[in-house]
Amino acid sequence: MASSINSLEAIQKKIDAVKLFLSVSLSIANAHTVDFYTCDVWDQFMAVPPVEVLTEITLNGDHKRAPEHYLNHCSGTAKKITFGFCDDSKRLVDVAELLEAAYAHSLPGLGVCVGRTELLQSLRHTDNAQPLEEAAVVESDEFMNSKKSHEVQAMSEVVSSLAQRCRVTQVIDVGSGKGYLCSFLSLQYGLQVYGIDSSSVNTHGAQERNRKLKKYSRAYQRHSKANRTPTVMPPSGQEDLEDVAPGERERGDMVKTSGDAEKEEGKGRGDGEAQTNTTGLTDRNEEDAMTSLTSAILLEDNSLPELDQSDPASAPEDPFLSALCVGMVEPTSPRVPPSELSLEERERRKRENLERKARSWVNSGGMGCGMLYSPLTSYVTAETELKEIIGELEDAVMVGLHTCGDLAPSTLRMFVAKRELLSVCSVGCCYHLLSEEFDPTRQECPSSSVCGFPLSGYLREQSWFCGRNARMSACLALERVAKGQGIQMESLFYRAVLHVILRDHYSSFKSEKRVGNVYSKATSFVDYVWRALRRLELDESKLSDGVIQSYHDTYRPRMVEMEAFNMLKVTLAPCIEGLILLDRLCYLKEQGSVRLKWWMSTGDLLSPVQFLQEDVAFSTLVQLFDPLLSPRCYGVVGVKAPGMELSE
């Protein structure tokens, strides 16, 4: 990892390259799928037939040619074509050129990320690292589905290495959800973990799971010692597992729940995935859930599932290790800013947290048992005083696994602002829930608020704005769609044709009500329209079955246009996600440069040695997960430990 590759100046150049590409192509990502026919979106943006787009994507799916001219300037200037778009008409005329440029401006094409193995080697091969003793051997796939097990094992290894490198034993997991990462870090690595989540429902569920996982761990260790094998559930070992959860060892015990983003991207923090631990059924459920959620993203009509935040009873049930729903967006936990809490409520929460930590300590038998996980309930921002939440706060590593929306940038701001946070590993999701500072409507980020994007001073100086629909597109999973998972085209088609009906018969009807997930219950297009009209409380007497069916028959031949257009959206998704993540990396890179200039100009008494010790000495983007298993697979890692001199 040469320093010139990941320097602040190099990252800024990468950002410039992606911005140039998106300045030409972002209009496709920001187009409304709902308006596809009413606004004649295909003819507005395309000068090629849809079959050509689909053929090019199918035959040239491996667009890994990254000529330098894509990173520096558009090609085909003499032909007045930029990244496949005609400079005059702004319509796409060269599909192959667009696909090549899209890959060149994704994170893999830019060559800006390091691999997880490479990062681990850099962290471990240093003089400062202090080995951690593993407290227990835990097979995570015994109590998590394959996706969550993959994420937890991969990230926990990085987090433990960061803890070793910074010589700390305390970890703070922001947006901890159901606590799977926290439990694994405490069980497997003996780290003292504080899981902070704004939802008391999540915190209570995490406590219960932690208690049962401790029994599981003890049963596992007894069984391992008896058999001297790593297997957890041998055919003859069922008696040992009776201690895990007496009376609860049903099929549902071996599946998982969570509140993350991936319902990989509803609202909030937690991992939204729903599957059983049976391999065949798991894979099938993952594909079905991903397909429906990808369709919801493409609809861009706010039809993603939401919880009634005012009604605790509406929260999903929380049985031990119940099923997760696979996707890309997390259901949002209700959050109340500290400024809106009364003094009595603040004191009550602090008292409950202290009592909870005391109970956790007693129940776990102290530090020797390896159960060092304390779930806490609190709303966290960059201004939050961690010592008010964690009484025994020490130097620590801050982590976030699929932290939703603005929580991911808030985690990085907190890392920079808090002296006791020596390292950070943040994996974000739910980009559609990010607030944008330069939103022209000012609806997403009021002037008094701290916005989630852009985070870096570099992009803020340029007032860069993506748009909600583009951020929705960034949530799409290119690798999964390429494997035939992801887009349920018929539901998108139904919704777009419904919009034509609303325009023709209800005067472009607008309503605060949402069509929602009507498609899953409909038996046909006609049934879909009747259900939607009832949901919108519209006059059904204006239509008949024959009229409705005629709309379907008229637009059905043009369904291929929608398929091709949405495939282009999927192709652009990694570029938009890449810009968001490069912005976060640039923010960390800026800290040393900006603070050093400030120190030199003010003549502050802080010595150069003190300054370097508190600075972000190392930061990078790392691919932590397999994108087929976990589409939001990139993490932002930063270290500001004293003497940290990892080569970049």
Side-chain angles (χ1 to χ4, degrees), residues 287 477-487 567 570 626-628:
E287 292 182 16
L478 174 62
E479 290 80 7
R480 286 186 170 182
V481 173
K483 294 293 184 180
Q485 308 173 29
I487 299 182
M567 287 301 295
V570 173
D626 179 347
L628 276 174

Side-chain angles (χ1 to χ4, degrees), residues 33-34 294-300 472 476 487 492 566 569:
T33 303
V34 170
T294 302
S295 300
I297 289 170
L298 289 169
L299 279 173
E300 296 145 1
M472 286 283 283
L476 296 168
I487 299 182
L492 304 177
N566 284 326
K569 278 195 168 189

Side-chain angles (χ1 to χ4, degrees), residues 405-421:
D406 285 348
L407 186 55
S410 291
T411 299
L412 298 180
R413 285 190 174 107
M414 194 180 309
F415 163 66
V416 169
K418 309 301 179 185
R419 188 171 183 175
E420 56 270 13
L421 300 178

Side-chain angles (χ1 to χ4, degrees), residues 31-46 492-493 495-497 499-500 555 558-566 569:
H32 287 261
T33 303
V34 170
D35 295 327
F36 192 79
Y37 298 122
T38 56
C39 295
D40 205 5
V41 169
W42 183 264
D43 287 339
Q44 182 181 349
F45 294 106
M46 302 290 151
L492 304 177
F493 172 72
R495 183 62 183 86
V497 178
H499 210 58
V500 178
Y555 286 95
R558 295 182 58 188
M559 187 173 172
V560 66
E561 296 176 357
M562 177 175 285
E563 181 182 0
F565 193 83
N566 284 326
K569 278 195 168 189

